[in-house]
């Protein structure tokens, strides 16, 4: 087997959630509920893609519905 072509489960890439900046009101609800601490609030919510595990907790919590997968 060519080991360059092998796919390992531990290497599966998670996609971080996306923030619609024009709709974000920077309320902090997403940051409060994120179990990984992947969201911070600046002028809008900001996602640290290296921490986001795409659990969806922030999507459910956002009162502005500005977070998507």
């Amino acid at each position: 087997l060519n080991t360059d072509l092998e796919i390992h489960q531990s290497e599966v890439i998670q996609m971080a959630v996306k923030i619609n900046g024009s709709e974000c009101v920077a309320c902090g609800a997403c940051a409060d509920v994120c179990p990984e601490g992947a969201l911070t609030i600046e002028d809008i919510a900001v996602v640290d893609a290296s921490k986001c595990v795409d659990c969806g907790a922030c999507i459910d919590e956002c009162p502005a519905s500005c977070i998507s997968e």
Side-chain angles (χ1 to χ4, degrees):
L1 287 176
N2 182 345
T3 57
D4 292 336
L5 298 176
E6 289 181 25
I7 297 174
H8 302 280
Q9 269 188 317
S10 64
E11 295 177 6
V12 173
I13 298 171
Q14 292 278 347
M15 297 297 291
V17 294
K18 295 170 186 60
I19 308 294
N20 180 338
S22 65
E23 294 182 17
C24 179
V25 296
C27 68
C30 57
D32 292 342
V33 74
C34 180
E36 300 298 322
L39 289 147
T40 55
I41 304 300
E42 294 177 14
D43 291 335
I44 61 169
V46 177
V47 182
D48 181 340
S50 69
K51 293 181 180 178
C52 179
V53 296
D54 199 24
C55 69
C58 58
I59 296 170
D60 296 335
E61 192 69 19
C62 180
S65 300
C66 69
I67 306 174
S68 61
E69 291 187 52

